[in-house]
């Protein structure tokens, strides 16, 4: 009995030690703009922080009438030393509307468009927030893509929080690796959502099944800000390339009692968008301390000794809100 007790004790100790052991962390970033033309500061960021991989959005796929077509095709103007991973965003309505017999054509067209932009890649990533009704078609698409590609090609897919928590229902995509997207964690359609961009508690509430997920996971965290507008309490639009200071200095907007919310006092044009009196603007930020603390908690929960931490996204304007110490801390296990 003593021998069994000591054996079990050793196993428990080894398990705890494995979970708390430092991870081998690779560093990567997303780039989510139509023009891949990096500024000097963005180039320096890649080198200073030893970024190994760039998940570069190549294009979106959406429906035009009854046809799935590529939209917003990237223009690559900067050569980099990092590995480029073509990333394709596919709207869920593509799989809602297409029939199974049309998906083989879709996979051929998607691969053709990727290779038309660049055929020097070792991995392809797909980003689709599939649902229970589109799961089978999306997974069939992924299988079809793999059949048409070299066997050495690696495939990854984005995973949302609800797809981790309810993986038995939502399914696990047939890919080599999943990227858990740890931003836009709240319901941005609701004005009452305190911070739909990143909510630490909401995030952790979805991760009880993290260690049970059957494919390797990497993790993408937000390093950006966003501004949302609401009319009559209903979501109106996102305001692109907008900072908090630009809202504060505009006389048309008045700070409300709610933190980071502003009331439109009159009809006005702002950022090429028409706003009406009583519209509400809401500024949302990804606070470093909350993001980094959540990252460390997730690394403790995951059993894999090697993974990738991905920063979303490579943008000089957004990254100017964080100092180098914070960036280095983010890419490390604390």
């Amino acid at each position: 009995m003593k021998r069994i007790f000591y054996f079990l004790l050793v196993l428990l100790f080894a398990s705890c030690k494995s979970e708390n052991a430092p991870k081998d962390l690779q560093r990567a970033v997303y780039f989510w703009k139509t023009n891949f033309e990096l500024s000097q500061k963005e180039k320096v960021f890649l080198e200073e922080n030893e970024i190994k991989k760039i998940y570069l959005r190549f294009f979106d796929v959406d429906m035009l009438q009854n046809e799935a077509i590529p939209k917003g095709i990237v223009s690559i103007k900067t050569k980099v030393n990092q590995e480029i991973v073509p990333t394709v965003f596919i709207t869920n309505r593509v799989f809602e509307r297409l029939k199974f017999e049309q998906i083989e054509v879709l996979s051929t067209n998607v691969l053709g468009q990727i290779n038309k932009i660049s055929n020097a890649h070792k991995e392809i990533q797909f980003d689709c927030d599939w649902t229970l009704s589109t799961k089978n078609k999306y997974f069939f698409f992924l299988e079809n893509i793999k059949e048409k590609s070299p066997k050495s090609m690696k495939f990854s897919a984005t995973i949302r929080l609800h797809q981790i928590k309810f993986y038995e229902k939502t399914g696990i995509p047939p890919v080599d690796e999943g990227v858990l997207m740890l931003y836009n964690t709240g319901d941005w359609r609701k004005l009452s959502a305190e911070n739909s961009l990143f909510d630490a508690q909401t995030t952790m509430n979805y991760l009880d099944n993290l260690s049970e997920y059957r494919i390797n996971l990497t993790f993408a965290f937000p390093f950006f800000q966003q501004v949302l507008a609401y009319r009559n309490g209903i979501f109106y639009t996102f305001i692109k390339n907008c900072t908090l200071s630009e809202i504060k200095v505009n006389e048309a907007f008045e700070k409300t009692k709610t933190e980071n919310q502003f009331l439109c006092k009159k009809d006005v044009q702002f950022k090429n968008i028409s706003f009406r009196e009583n519209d509400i603007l809401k500024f949302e930020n990804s606070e470093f301390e909350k993001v980094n603390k959540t990252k460390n908690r997730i690394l403790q929960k995951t059993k894999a000794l090697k993974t990738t931490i991905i920063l979303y996204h490579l943008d000089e304007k957004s990254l100017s809100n964080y100092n180098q110490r914070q960036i280095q801390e983010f890419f490390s296990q604390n």
Side-chain angles (χ1 to χ4, degrees):
M1 287 296 293
K2 285 185 177 180
R3 288 181 180 178
I4 295 174
F5 173 76
Y6 286 127
F7 177 70
L8 292 174
L9 194 63
V10 169
L11 281 181
L12 179 62
F13 176 76
S15 174
C16 293
K17 186 176 180 182
S18 174
E19 288 185 5
N20 295 321
K23 313 291 184 185
D24 180 2
L25 298 181
Q26 302 297 306
R27 303 178 175 194
V29 296
Y30 273 102
F31 188 91
W32 214 260
K33 298 179 185 177
T34 305
N35 288 318
F36 185 63
E37 186 172 15
L38 301 185
S39 68
Q40 185 58 35
K41 287 186 178 180
E42 290 166 346
K43 292 176 184 177
V44 169
F45 180 90
L46 292 174
E47 298 305 321
E48 277 188 350
N49 295 290
E50 300 178 343
I51 305 300
K52 303 298 182 186
K53 188 181 289 189
I54 301 173
Y55 292 92
L56 175 57
R57 177 202 156 278
F58 266 34
F59 54 91
D60 301 341
V61 179
D62 201 357
M63 296 299 295
L64 180 62
Q65 296 179 344
N66 295 319
E67 186 180 3
I69 61 166
K71 297 173 63 177
I73 298 171
V74 72
S75 175
I76 300 178
K77 299 178 181 179
T78 300
K79 290 184 178 181
V80 293
N81 298 321
Q82 289 73 21
E83 177 188 349
I84 295 292
V85 178
T87 303
V88 178
F89 172 74
I90 308 178
T91 66
N92 192 48
R93 61 175 157 261
V94 168
F95 297 106
E96 287 175 339
R97 298 184 187 180
L98 289 187
K99 298 178 181 178
F100 269 96
E101 54 266 30
Q102 296 174 290
I103 291 177
E104 189 167 350
V105 175
L106 173 66
S107 62
T108 299
N109 291 343
V110 167
L111 279 177
Q113 185 62 63
I114 290 172
N115 290 324
K116 188 176 179 181
I117 299 169
S118 173
N119 57 11
H121 52 269
K122 299 181 288 186
E123 177 185 351
I124 299 173
Q125 182 173 121
F126 292 101
D127 180 10
C128 178
D129 189 5
W130 77 90
T131 61
L132 292 179
S133 64
T134 60
K135 174 182 69 174
N136 291 338
K137 289 180 184 178
Y138 177 49
F139 289 6
F140 178 71
F141 165 80
L142 293 173
E143 293 283 13
N144 212 258
I145 284 279
K146 288 165 66 176
E147 289 175 6
K148 291 178 167 65
S149 303
K151 289 186 177 181
S152 60
M153 186 68 67
K154 177 181 176 181
F155 290 93
S156 57
T158 58
I159 313 292
R160 270 66 176 182
L161 286 172
H162 69 95
Q163 293 159 349
I164 290 284
K165 187 175 181 67
F166 306 109
Y167 73 91
E168 292 179 339
K169 286 185 177 181
T170 61
I172 297 176
V175 291
D176 303 297
E177 189 173 80
V179 180
L180 183 56
M181 314 301 277
L182 294 156
Y183 51 89
N184 293 333
T185 55
D187 191 346
W188 46 266
R189 293 166 295 187
K190 294 182 178 179
L191 177 59
S192 59
E194 185 175 338
N195 188 341
S196 66
L197 173 55
F198 182 80
D199 184 289
Q201 189 56 54
T202 298
T203 297
M204 296 309 300
N205 288 344
Y206 275 84
L207 297 181
D208 291 340
N209 297 327
L210 187 63
S211 61
E212 299 174 19
Y213 209 69
R214 294 193 302 272
I215 58 173
N216 292 330
L217 288 172
T218 60
F219 305 95
F221 293 87
F223 274 71
F224 67 99
Q225 301 78 40
Q226 63 185 17
V227 179
L228 308 87
Y230 299 81
R231 179 167 294 166
N232 299 321
I234 300 171
F235 175 75
Y236 174 46
T237 188
F238 284 98
I239 309 175
K240 296 181 179 179
N241 301 315
C242 182
T243 65
L244 181 61
S245 59
E246 287 175 310
I247 300 172
K248 286 181 174 180
V249 299
N250 193 309
E251 294 180 353
F253 304 111
E254 179 180 72
K255 195 176 186 316
T256 68
K257 293 180 180 179
T258 304
E259 187 178 5
N260 290 331
Q261 288 191 18
F262 298 83
L263 176 70
C264 184
K265 298 188 294 183
K266 60 182 179 180
D267 293 357
V268 67
Q269 282 284 125
F270 178 63
K271 294 289 183 177
N272 297 318
I273 301 172
S274 296
F275 292 97
R276 296 178 187 169
E277 184 179 358
N278 294 325
D279 285 351
I280 296 289
L281 272 57
K282 181 168 69 168
F283 174 81
E284 295 185 337
N285 188 25
S286 47
E287 296 179 32
F288 171 75
E289 294 300 334
K290 292 182 179 179
V291 169
N292 197 54
K293 184 177 180 180
T294 304
K295 175 213 69 180
N296 289 326
R297 291 178 68 187
I298 289 173
L299 289 177
Q300 290 172 358
K301 287 179 72 72
T302 183
K303 292 180 179 179
L305 294 179
K306 183 177 181 179
T307 189
T308 300
I309 298 296
I310 311 170
L311 180 150
Y312 185 96
H313 62 124
L314 180 61
D315 173 71
E316 179 181 333
K317 192 173 183 179
S318 294
L319 292 174
S320 66
N321 294 293
Y322 307 91
N323 59 49
Q324 185 58 23
R325 177 196 63 79
Q326 291 173 322
I327 299 297
Q328 285 295 321
E329 193 173 338
F330 168 72
F331 281 122
S332 306
Q333 183 176 358
N334 311 117

